[in-house]
Amino acid sequence: MTDSDRMLIEHACARLVAAYGYFNDERNFDALADLFADDAMLYRPAAPDQPIGGREAILGSFASRPASRITFHVCTDVLIDVDDATHATGRSRILLLSGGAAAPVPGMFRDRFILTDTGWKFAERRGTLSLQP
């Protein structure tokens, strides 16, 4: 694998991390769910022990959120490690601002990425909160 190949994979995976925050905050849950592989697993930061399995279940979980819930995700310190031409892992920090919350909530994600027929996707996204509000 060339350095250029590695950088392209890193960029594609880091873009997924950023898109997740944007689509979540914009309530564009169809686009958000499309960031995940069909059989992906999501562990939300607020419920890290409750896996959500599969793209359709992930979409349903987000779509069930109250329309009044307003969020703003700040995603930083994105580190991507390329395992091979079709797999990568990553980690990133988040700062969640939410309407009505007393203070910003810091957390992090650990991700596994996979190359699919339609491009790079999350295979697994595990979130945790650093401090409980």
Side-chain angles (χ1 to χ4, degrees), residues 16 29-42 51-63 114-124:
L16 288 171
F29 300 136
D30 288 321
L32 186 145
D34 193 47
L35 301 175
F36 290 85
D38 289 337
D39 59 351
M41 297 295 292
L42 171 65
I52 304 167
R55 182 186 298 144
E56 290 303 315
I58 292 167
L59 174 59
S61 176
F62 281 98
I114 189 165
L115 181 60
T116 70
D117 292 341
T118 58
W120 284 93
K121 304 283 183 179
F122 288 111
E124 181 178 275

Side-chain angles (χ1 to χ4, degrees), residues 70-111:
I70 298 170
T71 60
F72 189 97
H73 289 77
V74 179
C75 304
T76 67
D77 304 337
V78 179
L79 296 175
I80 306 297
D81 295 309
V82 177
D83 300 329
D84 57 41
T86 60
H87 299 89
T89 57
R91 55 192 166 144
S92 59
R93 299 184 194 279
I94 59 164
L95 186 62
L96 174 61
L97 305 158
S98 182
V105 180
M108 70 177 305
F109 278 103
R110 292 194 179 274
D111 299 309

